[in-house]
């Protein structure tokens, strides 16, 4: 059994981690923390999961107490960026495996972090210990790293379609446009008028354009696959759904067809359980993946514009966050990749 803890479990991704890890057959959920819920039974806060939570209680989000807890092998950080790094350091020094859902260890350079996140990196030295891992496109040897940076939600929806195409030279690294729609849970559990029911129901809007913070992570990963710098236009939108991301990418066809894209995708994803390539004429739709750890992808060729259209959809809280983190835990600890995942 892997003994795990979740920090920041009162938030959206933390709750999904509680849901997944409390029913995972290879895991003992040993610690669940929150500043606002410390002392409360977890079963009382999440009644729909109460049948499998026993007498587990929320404890304070205290980094040194978690580091000193010999009953923990791995800890999931479901905390805001800037905060997560402060927890990662003591856990790392205590020899725990850390799965960080925030952006604190996703970038190679503290300068790029500062440019896109508007603050100094909290622990630049620790960046060297971290590995950014998209499970379908892993770096060699990542399992040896003690600190795993889980990819962001939008980045996952963009990288899965694009990485194999850039790595294989099917497309080139110029003039790529990604337009994405996210459900409101993507913003976290914010008590903010902009995310209230009346503001968001039946109303969608663009935001974060033209320089959303996820561009840094997306461009870094695309450049590493392409072997040269990549600049992307990223157009996020907030839409009235609870969960889900729908992404449409437009890219020059480089003389290639939809069939060429399918060949590159299949060679990368043929045996990957959570990537479904739609070849039956249907297009990705969020309702078909929400509640699962899957990402659906499809391609169309626009002969008039000489461009390829790549589409994807995922659940931002599963494949875009907590599901992907559990998938990474499975792989890191040598379990079957799909175990405990919907
Ligand atoms: N929502 C999504 O779709 C995705 C989120 N992520 C990332 O995962 C992380 C968590 O996101 P999400 O669950 O949405 O966020 P939420 O805002 O829903 O939850 C974050 C939790 O962190 C705790 N927290 C906040 N500030 C502090 C602090 N200073 N010290 C200790 N704990 C703190 C809070 O719990 P309390 O106040 O009870 O302690 C809060 O409930 C973020 O970094 C986010 O960017 C990644 C991919 C997708
Ligand atoms: C709808 C919405 O607001 N989404 C968030 C991104 C989701 C998220 O939490 O970002 P990470 O993947 O980096 O952790 C945003 O645009 O900032």
């Amino acid at each position: 059994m892997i003994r795990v803890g979740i920090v920041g479990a009162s938030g959206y991704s933390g709750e999904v981690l509680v849901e997944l890890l409390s029913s995972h057959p290879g895991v003992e959920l040993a610690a669940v923390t929150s500043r606002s819920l410390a002392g409360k039974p977890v079963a009382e806060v999440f009644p729909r999961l109460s049948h499998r939570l026993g007498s587990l209680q929320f404890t304070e989000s205290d980094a040194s107490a978690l580091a000193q807890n010999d009953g923990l092998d791995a800890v999931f950080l479901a905390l805001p960026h800037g905060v997560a790094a402060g927890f990662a350091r003591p856990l790392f020094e205590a020899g725990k495996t850390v799965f960080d859902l925030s952006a604190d260890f996703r970038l190679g350079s503290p300068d790029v972090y500062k440019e896109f996140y508007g603050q100094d990196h909290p622990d630049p030295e620790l960046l060297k210990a971290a590995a950014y891992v998209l499970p379908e496109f892993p770096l060699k040897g990542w399992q040896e790293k003690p600190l795993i940076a889980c990819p962001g939600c939008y980045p996952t929806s963009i990288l899965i379609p694009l990485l194999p195409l850039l790595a294989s030279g099917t497309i080139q690294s110029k003039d790529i446009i990604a337009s994405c729609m996210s459900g409101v849970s993507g913003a976290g559990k914010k008590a903010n008028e902009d995310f209230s029911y009346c503001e968001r129901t039946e109303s969608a809007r663009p935001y974060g354009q033209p320089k959303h913070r996820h561009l840094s992570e997306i461009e870094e990963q695309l450049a590493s696959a392409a072997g040269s710098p990549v600049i992307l236009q990223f157009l996020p939108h907030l839409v009235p759904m609870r969960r889900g991301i729908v992404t449409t990418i437009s890219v020059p066809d480089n003389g290639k067809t939809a069939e060429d894209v399918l060949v590159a995708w299949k060679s990368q994803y043929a045996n990957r359980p959570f990537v479904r390539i739609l070849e039956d004429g249907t297009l990705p739709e969020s309702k078909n993946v929400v509640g699962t750890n899957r990402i659906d992808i499809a391609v169309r060729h626009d002969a008039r514009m000489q461009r390829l259209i790549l589409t994807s959809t995922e659940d931002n809280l599963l494949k875009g966050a907590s599901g992907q983190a559990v998938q990474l835990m499975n792989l890191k600890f040598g379990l079957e990749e799909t175990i405990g995942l919907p």
Side-chain angles (χ1 to χ4, degrees):
M1 283 285 193
I2 313 164
R3 295 161 304 172
V4 308
I6 304 167
V7 189
S10 62
Y12 286 144
S13 61
E15 178 176 348
V16 174
L17 283 168
V18 172
E19 179 177 359
L20 295 174
L21 294 168
S22 63
S23 64
H24 193 297
V27 161
E28 181 196 332
L29 184 53
V32 175
T33 87
S34 149
R35 296 168 309 169
S36 57
L37 298 172
K40 290 202 170 160
V42 185
E44 194 179 286
V45 176
F46 303 133
R48 76 193 167 86
L49 307 174
S50 59
H51 55 293
R52 54 192 199 223
L53 289 168
S55 58
L56 191 66
Q57 291 208 340
F58 280 96
T59 54
E60 279 293 346
S61 294
D62 176 340
S64 44
L66 289 161
Q68 284 161 25
N69 184 341
D70 292 333
L72 289 177
D73 304 310
V75 177
F76 292 78
L77 304 179
L79 297 167
H81 62 264
V83 175
F87 282 77
R89 163 69 68 181
L91 293 167
F92 164 75
E93 285 174 352
K96 318 282 185 207
T97 298
V98 177
F99 297 94
D100 180 18
L101 277 73
S102 88
D104 278 351
F105 297 99
R106 293 185 193 154
L107 301 172
S109 147
D111 295 338
V112 177
Y113 183 91
K114 184 164 190 180
E115 180 188 346
F116 282 85
Y117 286 82
Q119 60 194 66
D120 287 324
H121 192 282
D123 195 341
E125 269 301 301
L126 201 54
L127 282 176
K128 296 187 200 93
Y132 180 97
V133 193
L134 186 63
E136 288 77 15
F137 235 90
L139 277 182
K140 233 174 153 200
W142 72 270
Q143 271 111 331
E144 311 312 317
K145 294 276 192 173
L147 171 52
I148 308 299
C150 303
C153 49
Y154 283 126
T156 298
S157 81
I158 292 171
L159 295 174
I160 290 281
L162 281 178
L163 285 175
L165 307 184
L166 284 167
S168 63
T170 308
I171 61 165
Q172 310 220 306
S173 51
K174 289 197 183 68
D175 193 12
I176 305 175
I177 301 166
S179 178
C180 304
M181 293 177 271
S182 171
V184 181
S185 61
K189 213 179 220 177
K190 289 193 176 69
N192 174 324
E193 181 185 317
D194 195 34
F195 296 98
S196 68
Y197 182 80
C198 289
E199 295 301 319
R200 289 282 57 91
T201 189
E202 293 170 26
S203 180
R205 66 171 171 83
Y207 74 102
Q209 301 175 9
K211 203 175 168 192
H212 188 281
R213 60 196 169 90
H214 279 173
L215 267 175
S216 50
E217 174 185 344
I218 297 164
E219 289 177 352
E220 186 169 314
Q221 295 303 316
L222 293 179
S224 142
S228 58
V230 177
I231 296 179
L232 180 97
Q233 188 175 56
F234 173 41
L235 305 171
H237 298 76
L238 190 61
V239 299
M241 336 187 264
R242 288 174 64 227
R243 284 164 78 151
I245 285 186
V246 179
T247 286
T248 296
I249 303 164
S250 168
V251 57
D253 67 13
N254 189 33
K256 300 291 198 299
T257 63
E259 194 50 44
D260 296 317
V261 170
L262 290 172
V263 168
W265 279 354
K266 284 182 194 168
S267 99
Q268 187 70 33
Y269 299 133
N271 301 312
R272 299 320 305 249
F274 294 114
V275 181
R276 190 169 69 147
I277 302 169
L278 302 179
E279 288 189 83
D280 59 357
T282 58
L283 286 170
E285 183 167 352
S286 60
K287 72 176 184 189
N288 297 331
V289 295
V290 166
T292 81
N293 194 48
R294 213 176 56 225
I295 176 163
D296 284 359
I297 56 177
V299 56
R300 295 283 184 274
H301 185 223
D302 183 345
R304 295 185 325 136
M305 294 293 289
Q306 296 180 301
R307 294 180 77 91
L308 292 160
I309 305 165
L310 317 170
T311 42
S312 75
T313 189
E314 69 183 19
D315 185 331
N316 54 297
L317 292 175
L318 283 164
K319 186 61 179 157
S322 309
Q324 184 139 266
V326 172
Q327 185 183 353
L328 287 165
M329 179 200 72
N330 287 343
L331 292 167
K332 169 127 178 120
F333 283 86
L335 303 177
E336 198 184 318
E337 184 170 3
T338 54
I339 197 163
L341 287 166

mmCIF file of all heavy atoms in Angstrom, residues 18-53:
data_model
loop_
_atom_site.group_PDB
_atom_site.id
_atom_site.type_symbol
_atom_site.label_atom_id
_atom_site.label_comp_id
_atom_site.label_asym_id
_atom_site.label_seq_id
_atom_site.Cartn_x
_atom_site.Cartn_y
_atom_site.Cartn_z
ATOM 1 N N VAL A 18 -9.372 13.364 -3.008
ATOM 2 C CA VAL A 18 -9.966 12.565 -1.917
ATOM 3 C C VAL A 18 -10.849 11.470 -2.528
ATOM 4 O O VAL A 18 -10.791 10.290 -2.138
ATOM 5 C CB VAL A 18 -10.797 13.459 -0.956
ATOM 6 C CG1 VAL A 18 -11.570 12.602 0.042
ATOM 7 C CG2 VAL A 18 -9.883 14.445 -0.222
ATOM 8 N N GLU A 19 -11.634 11.849 -3.508
ATOM 9 C CA GLU A 19 -12.536 10.884 -4.156
ATOM 10 C C GLU A 19 -11.749 9.725 -4.785
ATOM 11 O O GLU A 19 -12.060 8.551 -4.576
ATOM 12 C CB GLU A 19 -13.348 11.623 -5.232
ATOM 13 C CG GLU A 19 -14.305 10.751 -5.990
ATOM 14 C CD GLU A 19 -15.129 11.550 -7.001
ATOM 15 O OE1 GLU A 19 -14.960 12.790 -7.089
ATOM 16 O OE2 GLU A 19 -15.941 10.931 -7.692
ATOM 17 N N LEU A 20 -10.703 10.055 -5.518
ATOM 18 C CA LEU A 20 -9.943 9.015 -6.229
ATOM 19 C C LEU A 20 -9.114 8.165 -5.265
ATOM 20 O O LEU A 20 -9.095 6.930 -5.363
ATOM 21 C CB LEU A 20 -9.004 9.654 -7.255
ATOM 22 C CG LEU A 20 -9.651 10.410 -8.427
ATOM 23 C CD1 LEU A 20 -8.584 11.109 -9.257
ATOM 24 C CD2 LEU A 20 -10.467 9.459 -9.293
ATOM 25 N N LEU A 21 -8.441 8.833 -4.341
ATOM 26 C CA LEU A 21 -7.478 8.103 -3.507
ATOM 27 C C LEU A 21 -8.157 7.302 -2.397
ATOM 28 O O LEU A 21 -7.626 6.293 -1.944
ATOM 29 C CB LEU A 21 -6.438 9.082 -2.944
ATOM 30 C CG LEU A 21 -5.535 9.701 -4.029
ATOM 31 C CD1 LEU A 21 -4.719 10.868 -3.465
ATOM 32 C CD2 LEU A 21 -4.598 8.653 -4.638
ATOM 33 N N SER A 22 -9.365 7.721 -1.991
ATOM 34 C CA SER A 22 -10.062 6.958 -0.942
ATOM 35 C C SER A 22 -10.625 5.654 -1.483
ATOM 36 O O SER A 22 -10.984 4.764 -0.711
ATOM 37 C CB SER A 22 -11.176 7.802 -0.319
ATOM 38 O OG SER A 22 -12.150 8.116 -1.296
ATOM 39 N N SER A 23 -10.707 5.541 -2.806
ATOM 40 C CA SER A 23 -11.219 4.273 -3.358
ATOM 41 C C SER A 23 -10.140 3.514 -4.144
ATOM 42 O O SER A 23 -10.413 2.511 -4.787
ATOM 43 C CB SER A 23 -12.422 4.537 -4.270
ATOM 44 O OG SER A 23 -11.997 5.288 -5.375
ATOM 45 N N HIS A 24 -8.912 4.020 -4.098
ATOM 46 C CA HIS A 24 -7.823 3.409 -4.865
ATOM 47 C C HIS A 24 -7.355 2.135 -4.151
ATOM 48 O O HIS A 24 -6.966 2.191 -2.979
ATOM 49 C CB HIS A 24 -6.676 4.417 -4.975
ATOM 50 C CG HIS A 24 -5.625 4.062 -5.969
ATOM 51 N ND1 HIS A 24 -4.851 2.922 -5.845
ATOM 52 C CD2 HIS A 24 -5.216 4.675 -7.100
ATOM 53 C CE1 HIS A 24 -3.998 2.869 -6.861
ATOM 54 N NE2 HIS A 24 -4.200 3.920 -7.631
ATOM 55 N N PRO A 25 -7.339 0.991 -4.842
ATOM 56 C CA PRO A 25 -7.001 -0.249 -4.159
ATOM 57 C C PRO A 25 -5.540 -0.361 -3.713
ATOM 58 O O PRO A 25 -5.222 -1.192 -2.855
ATOM 59 C CB PRO A 25 -7.321 -1.337 -5.193
ATOM 60 C CG PRO A 25 -7.364 -0.643 -6.504
ATOM 61 C CD PRO A 25 -7.721 0.795 -6.243
ATOM 62 N N GLY A 26 -4.657 0.494 -4.269
ATOM 63 C CA GLY A 26 -3.247 0.402 -3.876
ATOM 64 C C GLY A 26 -2.829 1.483 -2.893
ATOM 65 O O GLY A 26 -1.641 1.665 -2.640
ATOM 66 N N VAL A 27 -3.815 2.216 -2.353
ATOM 67 C CA VAL A 27 -3.489 3.404 -1.568
ATOM 68 C C VAL A 27 -4.168 3.380 -0.209
ATOM 69 O O VAL A 27 -5.311 2.962 -0.080
ATOM 70 C CB VAL A 27 -3.952 4.670 -2.350
ATOM 71 C CG1 VAL A 27 -4.084 5.877 -1.449
ATOM 72 C CG2 VAL A 27 -2.994 4.972 -3.494
ATOM 73 N N GLU A 28 -3.433 3.871 0.795
ATOM 74 C CA GLU A 28 -4.073 4.176 2.067
ATOM 75 C C GLU A 28 -4.060 5.697 2.218
ATOM 76 O O GLU A 28 -2.978 6.314 2.211
ATOM 77 C CB GLU A 28 -3.280 3.538 3.217
ATOM 78 C CG GLU A 28 -3.893 3.795 4.576
ATOM 79 C CD GLU A 28 -2.917 3.519 5.712
ATOM 80 O OE1 GLU A 28 -2.014 2.665 5.522
ATOM 81 O OE2 GLU A 28 -3.042 4.178 6.745
ATOM 82 N N LEU A 29 -5.234 6.293 2.303
ATOM 83 C CA LEU A 29 -5.320 7.750 2.456
ATOM 84 C C LEU A 29 -5.072 8.069 3.934
ATOM 85 O O LEU A 29 -5.924 7.829 4.789
ATOM 86 C CB LEU A 29 -6.696 8.246 1.987
ATOM 87 C CG LEU A 29 -6.920 9.752 1.983
ATOM 88 C CD1 LEU A 29 -5.839 10.495 1.213
ATOM 89 C CD2 LEU A 29 -8.292 10.076 1.389
ATOM 90 N N ALA A 30 -3.863 8.598 4.221
ATOM 91 C CA ALA A 30 -3.439 8.707 5.614
ATOM 92 C C ALA A 30 -3.525 10.128 6.164
ATOM 93 O O ALA A 30 -3.552 10.311 7.380
ATOM 94 C CB ALA A 30 -1.996 8.202 5.736
ATOM 95 N N ALA A 31 -3.539 11.139 5.299
ATOM 96 C CA ALA A 31 -3.626 12.522 5.792
ATOM 97 C C ALA A 31 -4.344 13.395 4.781
ATOM 98 O O ALA A 31 -4.092 13.304 3.579
ATOM 99 C CB ALA A 31 -2.226 13.075 6.053
ATOM 100 N N VAL A 32 -5.252 14.230 5.285
ATOM 101 C CA VAL A 32 -6.010 15.144 4.429
ATOM 102 C C VAL A 32 -5.988 16.489 5.152
ATOM 103 O O VAL A 32 -6.424 16.572 6.302
ATOM 104 C CB VAL A 32 -7.460 14.631 4.251
ATOM 105 C CG1 VAL A 32 -8.291 15.628 3.468
ATOM 106 C CG2 VAL A 32 -7.473 13.283 3.537
ATOM 107 N N THR A 33 -5.457 17.526 4.504
ATOM 108 C CA THR A 33 -5.298 18.785 5.239
ATOM 109 C C THR A 33 -6.057 19.949 4.614
ATOM 110 O O THR A 33 -6.326 19.966 3.406
ATOM 111 C CB THR A 33 -3.804 19.207 5.358
ATOM 112 O OG1 THR A 33 -3.432 19.968 4.204
ATOM 113 C CG2 THR A 33 -2.880 18.019 5.525
ATOM 114 N N SER A 34 -6.387 20.904 5.472
ATOM 115 C CA SER A 34 -7.008 22.160 5.047
ATOM 116 C C SER A 34 -6.930 23.117 6.227
ATOM 117 O O SER A 34 -7.177 22.704 7.373
ATOM 118 C CB SER A 34 -8.462 21.901 4.658
ATOM 119 O OG SER A 34 -9.259 23.029 4.934
ATOM 120 N N ARG A 35 -6.619 24.372 5.956
ATOM 121 C CA ARG A 35 -6.596 25.348 7.063
ATOM 122 C C ARG A 35 -8.010 25.603 7.565
ATOM 123 O O ARG A 35 -8.254 25.684 8.755
ATOM 124 C CB ARG A 35 -5.997 26.680 6.577
ATOM 125 C CG ARG A 35 -4.546 26.584 6.145
ATOM 126 C CD ARG A 35 -4.133 27.853 5.413
ATOM 127 N NE ARG A 35 -5.088 28.174 4.353
ATOM 128 C CZ ARG A 35 -5.132 29.301 3.681
ATOM 129 N NH1 ARG A 35 -4.272 30.253 3.964
ATOM 130 N NH2 ARG A 35 -6.032 29.511 2.740
ATOM 131 N N SER A 36 -8.965 25.695 6.634
ATOM 132 C CA SER A 36 -10.318 26.088 7.042
ATOM 133 C C SER A 36 -11.132 24.929 7.623
ATOM 134 O O SER A 36 -12.129 25.167 8.306
ATOM 135 C CB SER A 36 -11.061 26.686 5.845
ATOM 136 O OG SER A 36 -11.079 25.763 4.779
ATOM 137 N N LEU A 37 -10.723 23.680 7.342
ATOM 138 C CA LEU A 37 -11.544 22.539 7.776
ATOM 139 C C LEU A 37 -10.853 21.679 8.835
ATOM 140 O O LEU A 37 -11.387 20.625 9.221
ATOM 141 C CB LEU A 37 -11.898 21.659 6.557
ATOM 142 C CG LEU A 37 -12.730 22.345 5.466
ATOM 143 C CD1 LEU A 37 -12.852 21.449 4.237
ATOM 144 C CD2 LEU A 37 -14.106 22.700 5.995
ATOM 145 N N ALA A 38 -9.677 22.121 9.307
ATOM 146 C CA ALA A 38 -8.918 21.301 10.278
ATOM 147 C C ALA A 38 -9.796 20.939 11.467
ATOM 148 O O ALA A 38 -10.510 21.785 12.013
ATOM 149 C CB ALA A 38 -7.691 22.071 10.732
ATOM 150 N N GLY A 39 -9.758 19.671 11.838
ATOM 151 C CA GLY A 39 -10.541 19.188 12.976
ATOM 152 C C GLY A 39 -11.863 18.558 12.576
ATOM 153 O O GLY A 39 -12.489 17.841 13.353
ATOM 154 N N LYS A 40 -12.308 18.801 11.351
ATOM 155 C CA LYS A 40 -13.600 18.233 10.923
ATOM 156 C C LYS A 40 -13.415 16.840 10.335
ATOM 157 O O LYS A 40 -12.421 16.582 9.640
ATOM 158 C CB LYS A 40 -14.223 19.116 9.836
ATOM 159 C CG LYS A 40 -14.699 20.431 10.348
ATOM 160 C CD LYS A 40 -15.750 21.010 9.427
ATOM 161 C CE LYS A 40 -16.372 22.207 10.126
ATOM 162 N NZ LYS A 40 -17.034 23.108 9.309
ATOM 163 N N PRO A 41 -14.388 15.950 10.531
ATOM 164 C CA PRO A 41 -14.321 14.653 9.856
ATOM 165 C C PRO A 41 -14.463 14.844 8.344
ATOM 166 O O PRO A 41 -15.331 15.605 7.884
ATOM 167 C CB PRO A 41 -15.531 13.896 10.418
ATOM 168 C CG PRO A 41 -15.956 14.649 11.631
ATOM 169 C CD PRO A 41 -15.539 16.073 11.420
ATOM 170 N N VAL A 42 -13.614 14.170 7.583
ATOM 171 C CA VAL A 42 -13.655 14.338 6.118
ATOM 172 C C VAL A 42 -15.012 13.844 5.585
ATOM 173 O O VAL A 42 -15.596 14.428 4.671
ATOM 174 C CB VAL A 42 -12.475 13.586 5.449
ATOM 175 C CG1 VAL A 42 -12.442 13.851 3.952
ATOM 176 C CG2 VAL A 42 -11.149 14.007 6.074
ATOM 177 N N ALA A 43 -15.542 12.791 6.224
ATOM 178 C CA ALA A 43 -16.824 12.228 5.784
ATOM 179 C C ALA A 43 -17.975 13.223 5.947
ATOM 180 O O ALA A 43 -18.940 13.196 5.186
ATOM 181 C CB ALA A 43 -17.125 10.952 6.578
ATOM 182 N N GLU A 44 -17.837 14.115 6.923
ATOM 183 C CA GLU A 44 -18.897 15.120 7.150
ATOM 184 C C GLU A 44 -18.844 16.194 6.047
ATOM 185 O O GLU A 44 -19.863 16.707 5.612
ATOM 186 C CB GLU A 44 -18.641 15.751 8.517
ATOM 187 C CG GLU A 44 -19.765 16.563 9.088
ATOM 188 C CD GLU A 44 -19.360 17.100 10.455
ATOM 189 O OE1 GLU A 44 -19.327 16.296 11.425
ATOM 190 O OE2 GLU A 44 -19.040 18.302 10.546
ATOM 191 N N VAL A 45 -17.638 16.517 5.610
ATOM 192 C CA VAL A 45 -17.476 17.563 4.588
ATOM 193 C C VAL A 45 -17.845 17.028 3.200
ATOM 194 O O VAL A 45 -18.417 17.750 2.376
ATOM 195 C CB VAL A 45 -16.018 18.090 4.602
ATOM 196 C CG1 VAL A 45 -15.791 19.097 3.489
ATOM 197 C CG2 VAL A 45 -15.699 18.712 5.957
ATOM 198 N N PHE A 46 -17.528 15.766 2.944
ATOM 199 C CA PHE A 46 -17.851 15.156 1.644
ATOM 200 C C PHE A 46 -18.803 13.976 1.865
ATOM 201 O O PHE A 46 -18.400 12.808 1.743
ATOM 202 C CB PHE A 46 -16.581 14.653 0.945
ATOM 203 C CG PHE A 46 -15.519 15.710 0.733
ATOM 204 C CD1 PHE A 46 -14.190 15.462 1.062
ATOM 205 C CD2 PHE A 46 -15.835 16.944 0.186
ATOM 206 C CE1 PHE A 46 -13.194 16.420 0.863
ATOM 207 C CE2 PHE A 46 -14.845 17.918 -0.018
ATOM 208 C CZ PHE A 46 -13.527 17.658 0.325
ATOM 209 N N PRO A 47 -20.077 14.248 2.162
ATOM 210 C CA PRO A 47 -20.988 13.160 2.538
ATOM 211 C C PRO A 47 -21.136 12.094 1.443
ATOM 212 O O PRO A 47 -21.329 10.923 1.749
ATOM 213 C CB PRO A 47 -22.324 13.873 2.766
ATOM 214 C CG PRO A 47 -22.013 15.316 2.894
ATOM 215 C CD PRO A 47 -20.711 15.567 2.219
ATOM 216 N N ARG A 48 -20.981 12.490 0.182
ATOM 217 C CA ARG A 48 -21.162 11.479 -0.881
ATOM 218 C C ARG A 48 -20.041 10.431 -0.856
ATOM 219 O O ARG A 48 -20.170 9.367 -1.463
ATOM 220 C CB ARG A 48 -21.304 12.144 -2.256
ATOM 221 C CG ARG A 48 -20.053 12.656 -2.857
ATOM 222 C CD ARG A 48 -20.244 13.575 -4.047
ATOM 223 N NE ARG A 48 -19.001 14.241 -4.335
ATOM 224 C CZ ARG A 48 -18.041 13.737 -5.089
ATOM 225 N NH1 ARG A 48 -18.202 12.574 -5.677
ATOM 226 N NH2 ARG A 48 -16.919 14.391 -5.301
ATOM 227 N N LEU A 49 -18.941 10.756 -0.165
ATOM 228 C CA LEU A 49 -17.827 9.794 -0.080
ATOM 229 C C LEU A 49 -17.748 9.158 1.304
ATOM 230 O O LEU A 49 -16.815 8.413 1.596
ATOM 231 C CB LEU A 49 -16.495 10.509 -0.367
ATOM 232 C CG LEU A 49 -16.408 11.324 -1.661
ATOM 233 C CD1 LEU A 49 -15.088 12.081 -1.722
ATOM 234 C CD2 LEU A 49 -16.545 10.395 -2.865
ATOM 235 N N SER A 50 -18.723 9.452 2.159
ATOM 236 C CA SER A 50 -18.594 9.103 3.578
ATOM 237 C C SER A 50 -18.422 7.601 3.806
ATOM 238 O O SER A 50 -17.745 7.193 4.740
ATOM 239 C CB SER A 50 -19.796 9.614 4.366
ATOM 240 O OG SER A 50 -20.960 9.047 3.836
ATOM 241 N N HIS A 51 -18.994 6.779 2.910
ATOM 242 C CA HIS A 51 -18.927 5.330 3.096
ATOM 243 C C HIS A 51 -17.504 4.786 3.060
ATOM 244 O O HIS A 51 -17.257 3.675 3.507
ATOM 245 C CB HIS A 51 -19.792 4.633 2.041
ATOM 246 C CG HIS A 51 -19.447 5.018 0.626
ATOM 247 N ND1 HIS A 51 -19.664 6.285 0.139
ATOM 248 C CD2 HIS A 51 -18.886 4.312 -0.374
ATOM 249 C CE1 HIS A 51 -19.255 6.345 -1.126
ATOM 250 N NE2 HIS A 51 -18.778 5.168 -1.458
ATOM 251 N N ARG A 52 -16.565 5.568 2.543
ATOM 252 C CA ARG A 52 -15.207 5.008 2.479
ATOM 253 C C ARG A 52 -14.162 5.871 3.193
ATOM 254 O O ARG A 52 -12.974 5.667 3.005
ATOM 255 C CB ARG A 52 -14.802 4.746 1.035
ATOM 256 C CG ARG A 52 -14.932 5.941 0.129
ATOM 257 C CD ARG A 52 -14.802 5.480 -1.295
ATOM 258 N NE ARG A 52 -14.475 6.565 -2.160
ATOM 259 C CZ ARG A 52 -15.030 6.763 -3.350
ATOM 260 N NH1 ARG A 52 -15.940 5.932 -3.804
ATOM 261 N NH2 ARG A 52 -14.649 7.758 -4.107
ATOM 262 N N LEU A 53 -14.617 6.809 3.998
ATOM 263 C CA LEU A 53 -13.653 7.698 4.646
ATOM 264 C C LEU A 53 -13.437 7.388 6.119
ATOM 265 O O LEU A 53 -12.535 7.958 6.748
ATOM 266 C CB LEU A 53 -14.086 9.161 4.472
ATOM 267 C CG LEU A 53 -13.926 9.670 3.035
ATOM 268 C CD1 LEU A 53 -14.639 11.003 2.844
ATOM 269 C CD2 LEU A 53 -12.453 9.819 2.668
#
